[in-house]
Amino acid sequence: MRRPVEQLVQEGGAGRLAEASARAEPAVSVEVHDVTVAYNRKPVLWDVDVSLPVGELIAIVGPNGAGKSTLLKAALGLIPLASGRITIFGRPIRQARSMVGYVPQRESVDWDFPVSVLDVVLMGRYGRLGWVRRPGRIDREVAMACLGKVGMTAYAARQISQLSGGQQQRVFLARALAQDASLYFMDEPFAGVDAATEKAIVEVLRQLRAAGKTVVAVHHDLQTVPEYFDHVVLLNMRLIAAGPVSSTFTHANLQRTYGGRLTLLDEAAESVRRNATEPLV
Ligand SMILES: Nc1ncnc2c1ncn2[C@@H]1O[C@H](COP(=O)(O)OP(=O)(O)O)[C@@H](O)[C@H]1O
Ligand SMILES: [Mg+2]
C-alpha cells in the first residue's frame, strides 16, 4: 500500500500533488529520532531511529522484553524519553493527541470495572466532546455503528467484565474506531483471540487502511506478518531493521532480531517437517 509520488501523480494529476505539497502534508506518521527509554535508569530502548509511513499497516515485531510496548507508550507520551524525540505527523504528541487512538494490551486493563460495552465505546468519543458536553444521540449512533463493525451490536448493554477475551478485544477496537483517529497504536490486538475474532480484526484493519488511516501494531505471530502487514519494524532493544515487509521481513533480519531463539524455532520446525515426510521403517 505504499503510495509513491508517481502513483499520486497518476491518480490525481500534478494538481493534487502540488496541493499536497502546498499543504506540506507529511508523508511520515511517526518519526522516532535517537530515542532512548529507561526504567529505573536501566535502558530498555537504545538509540532507536525510525520513520513510519502514512496509510499503511505497520507491525512491530521482536522477542519478549524487546521494548515493543515501551516504544508505543513512549510515542503516546505515556512514559518519558531519556533522550531523543518522537513526533506524530510532524508534531509533538501533546499537539497530536486527538489524531491518535490506542488499543492497549488486553492484560493491562482492569476488566472488573463496572461499565457497559456501549460506555466503553463512548469513551472513544470523549476526546471530541471537551470538558462539559455529555455524549449525545450522534455519539451513541457512532458508537453503535462501530460495535456493528466488530460484530458486537448485540452486546451493547452487557457489562464489559462478562465478555470473553476476544469479545473484549473487539470492544476495544470499536472504541478506537469511534474515536475516528488518523493513527492507531495497537498492542498485540490478536493476542489470545479466536479465529473468528482474528478475521474480524484483520477486516477492520483493512478498512482503516482503505480510509487512509495508519495502524502501528505490536504483533507476535511471525507467520501472519506478510499477510496482514505492509511495513515492519524489527526491534530488540535496538532497531534491527525497518521497511516494507517484502524487503525487510527476511530470514537474516529475523535471525538478527531473535538471535539463538529463532534458530531453536527453526530447528523445531525442521524436525517436524522431517518427521512428517520421512517414511516409517
Ligand atoms: N514499568 C516498568 N518498570 C520497569 N521495567 C519495565 C516496565 N515496563 C517494562 N519494563 C521492562 O522493559 C523491558 C521492555 O518491556 P516491554 O516494552 O514491555 O517489552 P515487549 O512489549 O517487547 O515485550 C522489559 O525488560 C521489561 O521487563
Ligand atoms: Mg509488550
Side-chain angles (χ1 to χ4, degrees):
M1 276 303 283
R2 288 190 77 85
R3 295 162 59 78
V5 166
E6 296 84 342
Q7 191 186 337
L8 205 65
V9 173
Q10 272 166 19
E11 282 173 2
R16 204 173 124 195
L17 186 63
E19 191 189 316
S21 63
R23 274 183 281 135
E25 239 171 54
V28 174
S29 56
V30 184
E31 177 94 57
V32 178
H33 186 68
D34 280 347
V35 162
T36 294
V37 178
Y39 293 113
N40 311 317
R41 294 170 153 247
K42 182 170 166 274
V44 297
L45 283 178
W46 264 105
D47 243 351
V48 173
D49 237 320
V50 67
S51 294
L52 304 182
V54 173
E56 298 195 6
L57 303 181
I58 302 157
I60 301 186
V61 170
N64 285 334
K68 305 181 297 294
S69 298
T70 299
L71 183 61
L72 290 198
K73 287 179 194 163
L76 285 154
L78 300 176
I79 48 174
L81 310 182
S83 64
R85 83 191 130 77
I86 302 180
T87 53
I88 308 285
F89 298 117
R91 307 178 200 173
I93 177 67
R94 61 181 182 284
Q95 289 172 23
R97 213 171 285 281
S98 65
M99 303 166 84
V100 179
Y102 180 35
V103 179
Q105 219 165 340
R106 199 157 47 82
E107 301 90 80
S108 68
V109 177
D110 174 13
W111 293 104
D112 287 333
F113 197 74
V115 60
S116 76
V117 163
L118 182 62
D119 286 337
V120 170
V121 180
L122 278 171
M123 286 173 195
R125 305 293 294 170
Y126 288 177
R128 306 184 154 258
L129 292 175
W131 286 104
V132 281
R133 251 195 70 213
R134 294 165 62 82
R137 187 175 57 85
I138 304 269
D139 297 303
R140 278 169 207 285
E141 280 172 14
V142 170
M144 286 305 291
C146 293
L147 278 174
K149 282 188 191 167
V150 298
M152 290 292 290
T153 310
Y155 295 85
R158 189 80 77 85
Q159 292 285 301
I160 191 83
S161 59
Q162 292 166 1
L163 300 181
S164 74
Q167 291 170 332
Q168 289 171 341
Q169 195 66 2
R170 289 180 188 223
V171 173
F172 253 30
L173 206 57
R175 184 183 72 155
L177 294 176
Q179 191 183 340
D180 193 22
S182 301
L183 168 67
Y184 289 100
F185 290 112
M186 303 187 183
D187 204 340
E188 305 217 18
F190 299 105
V193 305
D194 58 21
T197 298
E198 178 150 340
K199 241 177 117 183
I201 294 175
V202 169
E203 192 45 47
V204 168
L205 296 190
R206 289 180 177 158
Q207 283 174 18
L208 288 171
R209 177 175 59 190
K213 318 279 190 177
T214 305
V215 177
V216 181
V218 175
H219 192 60
H220 65 285
D221 178 16
L222 298 180
Q223 303 268 355
T224 50
V225 167
E227 187 189 340
Y228 294 172
F229 294 95
D230 308 305
H231 200 92
V232 66
V233 175
L234 295 168
L235 195 70
N236 192 351
M237 292 181 71
R238 294 174 182 276
L239 179 75
I240 307 294
V245 168
S246 55
S247 57
T248 308
F249 196 66
T250 61
H251 192 264
N253 279 338
L254 285 170
Q255 283 282 1
R256 290 172 61 216
T257 310
Y258 286 84
R261 271 173 283 186
L262 187 70
T263 315
L264 284 178
L265 291 176
D266 278 350
E267 278 168 13
E270 183 55 33
S271 78
V272 168
R273 255 198 311 274
R274 262 202 315 272
N275 286 336
T277 52
E278 263 171 22
L280 293 171
V281 280

